[in-house]
Amino acid sequence: MRRSFYHYLMTLRAPKKTAESQFANDAAKDIQFPKQSEDYHEISSYLEMNVDYVSNMFIFDELWEKYLENNK
């Protein structure tokens, strides 16, 4: 069974402030994040339309590629 993007993202949480860990930490606090989704368009639309903690979608795109590699 594949894990959701959110589940993958939660493995990146950390107290140190990298772009990846900050995104993961912020998403962990977001109660409306689509936690079960494995769909790029659903998650990217949510991030673009509903949150202010992602200042640059490049970090999401980069993590999405890592997520896909991790779930092969």
Side-chain angles (χ1 to χ4, degrees), residues 13-45:
R13 291 187 302 164
K16 61 182 180 176
K17 299 292 184 189
T18 65
E20 291 179 351
S21 68
Q22 188 60 51
F23 177 33
N25 293 340
D26 290 340
K29 297 175 195 170
D30 183 354
I31 61 172
Q32 294 183 333
F33 194 96
K35 294 176 175 67
Q36 303 304 318
S37 183
E38 298 174 20
D39 182 72
Y40 174 87
H41 296 292
E42 178 183 5
I43 298 169
S44 65
S45 292

Side-chain angles (χ1 to χ4, degrees), residues 20-68:
E20 291 179 351
S21 68
Q22 188 60 51
F23 177 33
N25 293 340
D26 290 340
K29 297 175 195 170
D30 183 354
I31 61 172
Q32 294 183 333
F33 194 96
K35 294 176 175 67
Q36 303 304 318
S37 183
E38 298 174 20
D39 182 72
Y40 174 87
H41 296 292
E42 178 183 5
I43 298 169
S44 65
S45 292
Y46 172 78
L47 293 171
E48 289 173 352
M49 304 295 273
N50 297 297
V51 304
D52 60 359
Y53 57 80
V54 179
S55 60
N56 186 341
M57 287 299 286
F58 176 75
I59 188 65
F60 168 67
D61 291 334
E62 189 175 85
L63 288 176
W64 184 263
E65 290 302 318
K66 290 180 182 180
Y67 164 69
L68 293 177

